[in-house]
Structure formats: structure tokens, C-alpha cells
Amino acid sequence: MDAENKIDIEMLFELADLFKVFGDSTRLRIMVKLSDDEMSVSDIADALKMEQSTISHQLRVLRQNKLVRVRRDGKQMYYALDDDHVKKIIEMGVDHILE
């Protein structure tokens, strides 16, 4: 049995959508920053030298796709990678490129 038959077609569509999210360099840059520690929108914007509105928009996309999570501390919101799977996907992609 080949790999495609083991995974149903709906799962393949979801996987394709996940990889589309990883296909944006701004989102990848954000996820790489968050791979070390949680950060606020302003911290991410400063680190990447980008507008906060751009970062906020991309964080919304990442949250909708369950790649980042948010924690509120008073009025401040802190973002982090949702789990170790996200970090592993990035690391595996880097490893593949370096081969």
C-alpha cells in the first residue's frame, strides 16, 4: 500500500494548507523568533524590523492554523510556538536544506 492510500484525501488537503502557511517568509521568520521564547508583538516587530500591524496580521494567521498560542499578562499578549511539533517542522526543513 502506498503512502497516499494510508492518508485520506481530506488529510492531504489539510496538510497542503499547513504547508502553505509555512510558505510565507514573514511567518517563518516569526516562528523562528518564537522558537526560543515567547515574545510580544512589539518585541517581534522590533526584532524583525517590521511594522506591528504586519506582525499582528501574520500572528493571526499562525494562530488560526494552531502554530502559535497566546498568553495574556494584564494588557500585554505574549506569543509562543504552539508545541514542539512546530519547532521540529522548522528544524527538519533547515536540516533538509543543509543536506
Side-chain angles (χ1 to χ4, degrees), residues 15-37:
L15 185 59
D17 288 341
L18 175 68
F19 283 122
K20 286 177 190 175
V21 175
F22 277 91
D24 181 273
S25 61
T26 298
R27 290 191 287 264
L28 274 174
R29 290 177 67 202
I30 292 168
M31 288 188 285
V32 167
K33 281 293 175 194
L34 294 176
S35 66
D36 293 327
D37 199 11

Side-chain angles (χ1 to χ4, degrees), residues 7 10-28 31 58 61-62 64-67 85-94 96-97:
I7 301 173
E10 184 61 34
M11 191 178 295
L12 287 175
F13 285 125
E14 289 178 29
L15 185 59
D17 288 341
L18 175 68
F19 283 122
K20 286 177 190 175
V21 175
F22 277 91
D24 181 273
S25 61
T26 298
R27 290 191 287 264
L28 274 174
M31 288 188 285
Q58 297 301 340
V61 172
L62 292 169
Q64 289 170 342
N65 286 278
K66 300 176 184 147
L67 296 171
H85 292 114
V86 180
K87 188 173 184 176
K88 287 178 186 173
I89 292 168
I90 295 167
E91 289 171 351
M92 289 173 68
V94 170
H96 180 74
I97 289 169

Side-chain angles (χ1 to χ4, degrees), residues 33-46:
K33 281 293 175 194
L34 294 176
S35 66
D36 293 327
D37 199 11
E38 66 179 15
M39 298 176 77
S40 68
V41 173
S42 60
D43 290 340
I44 298 167
D46 290 344

